[in-house]
Amino acid sequence: MMSEESIHILIADDHPVFRFGLRALLEAQPDMVVVGEAESGETAVTLTQSLQPDVVLMDINMPGINGIEATKQIIDSLRETAVLIITMFDDDTVFTAMQAGARGYLLKGAQGDETLRAIRAVANGEVIFSPGVAEQMMDFFMKGGRQMATTDSARAEPFPELTPREREILELLAQGLTNTAIAEKLVLSPKTIRNQVSNIFSKLQVASRSEAIVKAREAGLGKSET
């Protein structure tokens, strides 16, 4: 039953099984109501505008526009709606998500109680991160978050939609390195590199590695150091 006190929630994810499990978890809560589901970024934006939920649970990798761009469009038109990113990306995509206006960032492996607590928190106006992501953010700023500062030189960098890590990976792609070589150079897992490369393709709106390399080299990336 829907009441004024209920948290109205929209689930945006392209995996039906994940949406089904999440809906079951939420509908078992007396203070939560799932008002709709979206399987693409465009649908998430459209449904949010028509249903005006309190919280949107947003995946990042979806067909069409990705979850980051969908979040930006939602926040631009509905400031009162809280977007909580729920994703498999445990990398610095979190910074891009927050710049887009997301109020929280949770990993899909989170326990049910943690997910429910995060939803209630963002619905209440709080900003929340899963423990692993919060640790990563603290580490980033302690080691020098100055790379996120909006200095003149930073604004002049190509592809401002990319995170510093994604730009670093694109640079290595443009130099001709394979995913395995990039993983070894950056001391990251091959899976993390694959996820990052997929996110780069989505943000640059390219369909292949060769397209991304061409675009990067046209912007001046990938030049050999002398």
Side-chain angles (χ1 to χ4, degrees):
M1 181 179 294
M2 192 179 298
S3 71
E4 291 184 4
E5 292 75 27
S6 298
I7 301 172
H8 297 179
I9 302 166
L10 175 73
I11 302 172
D13 194 288
D14 62 335
H15 292 92
V17 174
F18 181 78
R19 292 201 309 271
F20 177 83
L22 194 52
R23 176 184 276 272
L25 171 69
L26 302 181
E27 291 187 336
Q29 309 306 309
D31 61 336
M32 295 185 184
V33 176
V34 177
V35 295
E37 295 183 16
E39 58 184 21
S40 71
E42 289 91 344
T43 305
V45 174
T46 301
L47 286 181
T48 299
Q49 290 172 342
S50 61
L51 299 174
Q52 299 192 8
D54 301 306
V55 177
V56 177
L57 305 182
M58 182 76 75
D59 187 22
I60 289 180
N61 246 357
M62 288 190 292
I65 65 173
N66 62 33
I68 301 294
E69 178 58 29
T71 296
K72 185 176 185 305
Q73 291 186 23
I74 288 169
I75 299 305
D76 283 347
S77 60
L78 289 169
R79 304 290 300 181
E80 296 304 310
T81 295
V83 176
L84 173 61
I85 301 291
I86 299 187
T87 180
M88 293 177 63
F89 291 121
D90 59 345
D91 51 41
D92 47 13
T93 307
V94 59
F95 298 110
T96 311
M98 302 314 288
Q99 287 175 329
R103 204 173 284 171
Y105 196 99
L106 199 64
L107 299 181
K108 282 189 174 179
Q111 296 295 317
D113 287 349
E114 186 181 346
T115 300
L116 296 173
R117 183 170 59 84
I119 292 170
R120 293 184 178 109
V122 298
N124 196 41
E126 300 174 36
V127 175
I128 193 164
F129 307 98
S130 61
V133 173
E135 220 172 273
Q136 178 186 342
M137 291 188 71
M138 288 178 63
D139 185 61
F140 174 85
F141 287 112
M142 287 176 68
K143 287 184 176 178
R146 60 185 178 278
Q147 52 189 316
M148 291 288 292
T150 54
T151 60
D152 289 340
S153 61
R155 284 194 293 271
E157 288 182 344
F159 313 120
E161 67 271 31
L162 300 182
T163 66
R165 174 67 81 186
E166 288 167 350
R167 193 175 294 109
E168 183 179 18
I169 290 172
L170 181 60
E171 170 75 38
L172 296 175
L173 280 177
Q175 290 176 17
L177 272 67
T178 64
N179 283 7
T180 301
I182 294 173
E184 291 175 356
K185 185 177 182 67
L186 300 181
V187 196
L188 294 170
S189 72
K191 180 181 178 182
T192 296
I193 297 300
R194 284 197 303 273
N195 287 339
Q196 292 270 20
V197 169
S198 174
N199 212 33
I200 289 169
F201 286 2
S202 179
K203 290 181 181 180
L204 297 187
Q205 298 184 348
V206 297
S208 68
R209 193 183 194 88
S210 58
E211 283 184 56
I213 290 173
V214 168
K215 204 162 187 176
R217 288 180 176 171
E218 286 177 347
L221 300 183
K223 296 178 180 178
S224 301
E225 295 182 358
T226 56

